[in-house]
Amino acid sequence: MNSLITVSAIAVAAITGFAPASMARPDHNPANTISLEVDHPDSFRHFACELPEMRARAAGINPNFGLHVSEIEPGLFFVTDLVYQSAFIVTDDGVVVLDAPPSFGQNLRTVIEMTAPDMSITHLIMSHGHRDHNGGGYNFGDIDGFEVVTAAKVAKTLKDFPLEGILAPTQVFDAALDMTIDGVKIELKAAKFHAEDTDVTIFLPKEKFLMAIDTITPGEAPFMNFGTTSDINAYFGIFEILLAYDFDHFLSGHVSVLGNRQDVIITRDYVFDVRVQSLG
């Protein structure tokens, strides 16, 4: 338990700035005006602790289009504006988009067209139906034959309660769907861990890439209420499901850092430690 408490303390300090007494700086008073300058005696770094290993992993923005874009496996690209995340994979005959946040939907299309010129954008696979992760889909709405894929429960919710910017699904599935798009295998499964209807895990086995949105924030304590989940018991249960996959890359939808297997393990240990501590 001590090791888990240590992990929890470090994770909380990394995101909230409320460091335990052993990490505090007695020579600095947090009531003073906090400077945004890193080297200032009252720098925010002293109060909002950020672990050096996480700073080293943070993505950098390309000022030409306001996004970080990196090729994490051949043909597979990670995209973030440092708040939201997306990905796309270039196949032999087209491009498949994995989530389209409205915060950078237009720039996402621009980046894809720069990365894969003269290639068609053929699919959008949606992890769930919340607007903050897929309200940028309308930027692809003028593409002939464009397929929008998600779980049937998500499609029903969107039909009953349309949301601005989210395209109507054209292909749906109930429990699972294995797709092969121009030689790229993509495994989709419905899961319950965040959204009010259902979520979709997206797995590319060859690339060892797993995507489960609003689950963890790599290197940080989970977002409030464990990702604002609608079912806390389902959230606790998702870790066993995720770790059953053979993955190296983990896209969780938020902040700049692309996660990995160890990030999922650390978050699992943290949230279960919180549960144990809360139960006394």
Side-chain angles (χ1 to χ4, degrees):
M1 182 61 66
N2 288 340
S3 62
L4 294 183
I5 292 173
T6 300
V7 169
S8 303
I10 292 174
V12 171
I15 188 163
T16 66
F18 294 103
S22 61
M23 298 175 67
R25 288 174 53 93
D27 55 329
H28 282 81
N29 184 348
N32 294 339
T33 300
I34 298 175
S35 171
L36 295 180
E37 297 178 10
V38 173
D39 297 326
H40 191 278
D42 291 313
S43 169
F44 72 99
R45 293 284 189 207
H46 299 321
F47 309 110
C49 304
E50 185 178 15
L51 301 180
E53 55 266 37
M54 297 315 299
R55 288 204 298 272
R57 290 175 59 186
I61 288 289
N62 185 320
N64 294 325
F65 43 78
L67 293 173
H68 167 89
V69 182
S70 55
E71 187 172 16
I72 59 176
E73 293 290 342
L76 176 61
F77 294 84
F78 165 60
V79 185
T80 181
D81 61 358
L82 308 189
V83 178
Y84 285 90
Q85 300 177 343
S86 174
F88 63 91
I89 186 160
V90 180
T91 73
D92 291 338
D93 297 320
V95 179
V96 179
V97 183
L98 309 177
D99 272 4
S103 63
F104 59 83
Q106 180 57 56
N107 282 350
L108 176 60
R109 180 165 177 175
T110 299
V111 164
I112 292 172
E113 292 172 347
M114 291 171 55
T115 304
D118 303 321
M119 297 285 283
S120 299
I121 304 174
T122 60
H123 294 74
L124 168 63
I125 298 176
M126 298 198 304
S127 64
H128 65 306
H130 288 175
R131 185 179 179 276
D132 64 327
H133 287 278
N134 278 295
Y138 74 93
N139 291 285
F140 304 93
D142 63 334
I143 300 174
D144 290 338
F146 189 65
E147 296 282 352
V148 180
V149 185
T150 194
K153 289 183 178 180
V154 174
K156 184 180 185 307
T157 298
L158 292 173
K159 182 179 179 180
D160 294 341
F161 306 99
L163 293 174
E164 181 183 3
I166 299 184
L167 297 177
T170 61
Q171 183 177 358
V172 301
F173 64 94
D174 290 320
L177 177 65
D178 288 349
M179 309 176 68
T180 300
I181 302 175
D182 300 324
V184 176
K185 187 174 182 181
I186 304 174
E187 299 176 4
L188 309 178
K189 288 187 178 180
K192 181 66 176 173
F193 56 84
H194 166 65
E196 63 283 355
D197 41 30
T198 196
D199 304 275
V200 177
T201 59
I202 303 169
F203 181 53
L204 281 61
K206 180 181 178 182
E207 292 76 15
K208 292 191 173 184
F209 172 85
L210 180 60
M211 183 167 166
I213 299 302
D214 290 321
T215 48
I216 74 169
T217 43
E220 300 180 353
F223 187 62
M224 64 178 181
N225 301 330
F226 297 110
T228 62
T229 180
S230 61
D231 187 336
I232 189 63
N233 288 323
Y235 181 85
F236 285 133
I238 191 59
F239 294 98
E240 182 178 358
I241 295 172
L242 299 179
L243 292 169
Y245 287 96
D246 179 17
F247 67 93
D248 293 333
H249 311 288
F250 187 82
L251 193 149
S252 59
H254 281 289
V255 304
S256 70
V257 176
L258 179 66
N260 55 41
R261 190 176 191 85
Q262 187 60 26
D263 292 316
V264 176
I265 291 171
I266 289 173
T267 303
R268 177 201 62 187
D269 292 348
Y270 173 84
V271 299
F272 277 89
D273 185 35
V274 169
R275 185 170 72 170
V276 168
Q277 296 295 321
S278 67
L279 293 175

